[in-house]
Amino acid sequence: MWHAGKSMKKIQLGQLLLRGSYWIDTGLQSGLQARGWPEITHAQSMMIIAIGEGINTPSSLAHYLGISRQAVHQTLKDLEKLDIINMLPNPEDRRSKLVELAPLSVPIMQDAKEILIELENQLSQRIGKSQVKQLRRALEQDWD
């Protein structure tokens, strides 16, 4: 993709991925608010998704999301106040906590899944089903 402008620069892949990520997150946030859920930040939604994928310690969340442990701890505190997550003692490491989605978060997670499916369908309508399938295959690869 080329950006129309004075220098006709090619947009970097990272920028395109971020643009797509923000499109999804904005759609998710709007959809959740339309269904009556409280506003959550981009950082909070990324944390919820990671926890939903089974990442359950603050240090692993920091590594996975590429953010500081301090940022993780603050975001987890905020999510705990919203009753979206629970912090539990870690039986394997007394210095660490385990993070789990709270029972009250089940309805918001169900709504989020439905909204993400709707967004994928919208994307399929915009760029084509085969393009979305190719994109999915590429993103499902192990990047490590």
Side-chain angles (χ1 to χ4, degrees), residues 26 32 94 111 127 130:
T26 299
L32 288 172
R94 293 172 39 166
D111 282 349
I127 69 170
S130 64

Side-chain angles (χ1 to χ4, degrees), residues 8-142:
M8 295 292 290
K9 289 189 207 176
K10 187 173 184 178
I11 298 174
Q12 298 297 314
L13 177 61
Q15 291 171 292
L16 294 171
L17 288 169
L18 285 172
R19 182 188 297 170
S21 174
Y22 280 106
W23 181 83
I24 292 287
D25 190 55
T26 299
L28 176 60
Q29 299 299 333
S30 298
L32 288 172
Q33 287 178 19
R35 292 179 183 210
W37 294 106
E39 185 174 344
I40 58 174
T41 67
H42 174 72
Q44 289 170 334
S45 66
M46 295 297 102
M47 189 86 54
I48 291 167
I49 289 168
I51 295 165
E53 290 179 1
I55 300 168
N56 66 351
T57 63
S59 61
S60 58
L61 286 165
H63 177 74
Y64 180 79
L65 296 171
I67 59 176
S68 71
R69 287 184 184 196
Q70 294 84 353
V72 167
H73 285 287
Q74 183 58 53
T75 303
L76 291 174
K77 280 184 189 179
D78 295 341
L79 290 172
E80 193 170 31
K81 286 178 189 174
L82 293 170
D83 291 325
I84 293 175
I85 63 144
N86 291 323
M87 300 289 291
L88 308 167
N90 185 343
E92 296 177 13
D93 183 356
R94 293 172 39 166
R95 300 167 294 159
S96 177
K97 297 277 188 183
L98 292 177
V99 183
E100 69 175 13
L101 294 171
L104 293 177
S105 71
V106 171
I108 192 172
M109 292 300 292
Q110 182 59 43
D111 282 349
K113 286 178 184 178
E114 290 171 9
I115 292 165
L116 290 171
I117 290 168
E118 291 169 14
L119 290 168
E120 188 170 335
N121 290 335
Q122 282 181 28
L123 187 60
S124 291
Q125 290 173 357
R126 291 179 182 197
I127 69 170
K129 287 183 181 182
S130 64
Q131 296 287 81
V132 171
K133 284 181 184 179
Q134 288 177 339
L135 178 60
R136 174 178 285 285
R137 277 195 300 270
L139 295 174
E140 286 174 341
Q141 298 300 309
D142 183 2

